[in-house]
């Protein structure tokens, strides 16, 4: 139980919001996956239960990946030596735009589809780059084939 753990550690539950107080401004914010239900987190990883009647978890996850969210975390962080922690109260003060649940679901699905498409395009681009790299030597070999044969 949580009472049996040291004061600076606590249990996390699936679907909780969790963040690293020193790295939230760099995107270290997430929803706890089912596989990590019941794991232990240190005090540097505050959590909250998310009211899923108001918030679609995939939508919230996309918010956490957004530069505007990172900037809001940065504005609320303070500290020295690059360890700018964001306290729980200040983290909770970050306004999250909440359209209707249906709109949140639609937006999350659209973001997911578009990032999958971007990933596919990136893989295609990498594949094309490999083919282009191989094409140049092939073209040169073909172009100089007659000249090289005559000189040999």
């Amino acid at each position: 139980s949580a009472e049996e753990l040291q004061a600076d550690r606590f249990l996390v539950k699936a679907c909780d919001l969790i963040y690293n107080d020193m790295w939230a401004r760099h995107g270290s914010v997430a929803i706890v996956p089912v596989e990590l239900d019941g794991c232990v987190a240190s005090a540097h990883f505050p959590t909250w239960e998310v009211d899923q009647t108001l918030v679609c978890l995939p939508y919230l996850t996309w918010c956490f990946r957004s530069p505007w969210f990172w900037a809001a975390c940065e504005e609320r962080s303070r500290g020295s030596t690059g360890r700018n922690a964001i306290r729980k109260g200040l983290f909770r003060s970050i306004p999250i735009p909440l359209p209707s649940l249906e709109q949140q679901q639609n937006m999350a699905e659209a973001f997911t589809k578009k990032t999958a498409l971007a990933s596919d395009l990136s893989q295609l681009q990498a594949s094309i780059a490999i083919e282009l790299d191989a094409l140049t030597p092939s073209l040169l070999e073909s172009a100089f084939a007659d000249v090289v044969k005559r000189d040999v």
Side-chain angles (χ1 to χ4, degrees), residues 82-93:
R83 299 182 68 174
N84 301 338
I86 180 171
R87 306 214 186 285
K88 288 172 83 169
L90 291 172
F91 184 87
R92 289 182 71 121
S93 74

Side-chain angles (χ1 to χ4, degrees), residues 14-29:
C15 301
D16 281 354
L17 180 158
I18 188 168
Y19 79 98
N20 180 287
D21 63 1
M22 287 190 255
W23 297 104
R25 69 190 191 283
H26 297 297
S28 185
V29 183

Side-chain angles (χ1 to χ4, degrees), residues 12-150:
V12 297
K13 296 182 291 183
C15 301
D16 281 354
L17 180 158
I18 188 168
Y19 79 98
N20 180 287
D21 63 1
M22 287 190 255
W23 297 104
R25 69 190 191 283
H26 297 297
S28 185
V29 183
I31 299 299
V32 176
V34 174
E35 309 85 67
L36 298 180
D37 185 57
C39 285
V40 178
S42 79
H44 289 290
F45 292 85
T47 65
W48 287 277
E49 185 176 338
V50 177
D51 184 349
Q52 294 183 55
T53 64
L54 299 175
V55 182
C56 169
L57 295 180
Y59 169 82
L60 193 56
T61 299
W62 283 111
C63 289
F64 299 154
R65 294 179 179 178
S66 301
W68 64 263
F69 184 81
W70 303 334
C73 289
E74 179 71 38
E75 289 170 9
R76 290 163 176 79
S77 298
R78 57 179 223 232
S80 61
T81 67
R83 299 182 68 174
N84 301 338
I86 180 171
R87 306 214 186 285
K88 288 172 83 169
L90 291 172
F91 184 87
R92 289 182 71 121
S93 74
I94 297 172
I96 302 290
L98 290 178
S100 72
L101 273 177
E102 182 179 355
Q103 288 174 307
Q104 291 176 47
Q105 290 165 344
N106 291 341
M107 290 173 72
E109 288 171 12
F111 294 148
T112 300
K113 287 177 184 174
K114 288 178 182 181
T115 55
L117 178 60
S119 177
D120 290 347
L121 290 173
S122 180
Q123 289 176 4
L124 180 59
Q125 181 183 25
S127 176
I128 290 170
I130 290 168
E131 290 183 28
L132 287 173
D133 286 346
L135 180 61
T136 300
S138 176
L139 289 172
L140 290 172
E141 186 175 327
S142 176
F144 289 101
D146 290 340
V147 175
V148 172
K149 284 181 186 176
R150 279 188 255 144

